[in-house]
Amino acid sequence: MLKYAESVTMWGLVVILIMSSFLLLIKAYKVIPVGIAYAVFVGLGTIGTYAVSVAFLGETISIWQVIFLVLLLIGIIGLKLTTKEESK
């Protein structure tokens, strides 16, 4: 999205999305271990960025990319399911 942000409105949207993302990450740090929270954050960011680039920006998609994204998603779900929340 940064590559295509040419107006003040688009840059404002980018800043809001980045800030929201980090605020949610900080909130997650309070309940689950930092390593798991960051892994989920990066993994979902990767999948989301790829999905947006294919759906809206016309980037190509291959079966191998889909297979590896599915494996990444399975890993993220597995990390989340096997991690106990910390109580404070």
Side-chain angles (χ1 to χ4, degrees):
M1 194 164 190
L2 287 173
K3 182 178 177 179
Y4 299 98
E6 296 176 357
S7 68
V8 174
T9 305
M10 285 299 290
W11 274 103
L13 178 62
V14 168
V15 168
I16 289 170
L17 290 173
I18 290 171
M19 288 175 56
S20 300
S21 178
F22 278 101
L23 288 173
L24 291 172
L25 177 63
I26 290 167
K27 188 174 182 176
Y29 283 158
K30 295 178 181 180
V31 227
I32 59 177
V34 172
I36 301 300
Y38 188 71
V40 171
F41 173 77
V42 171
L44 291 178
T46 301
I47 292 169
T49 302
Y50 185 78
V52 167
S53 69
V54 169
F56 297 107
L57 304 177
E59 296 204 10
T60 59
I61 186 171
S62 75
I63 188 66
W64 287 108
Q65 290 170 330
V66 172
I67 289 170
F68 288 118
L69 285 170
V70 168
L71 286 173
L72 178 62
L73 185 59
I74 290 169
I76 292 168
I77 292 169
L79 283 173
K80 181 62 179 114
L81 290 176
T82 59
T83 302
K84 295 181 181 178
E85 292 186 2
E86 298 174 356
S87 59
K88 290 194 177 193

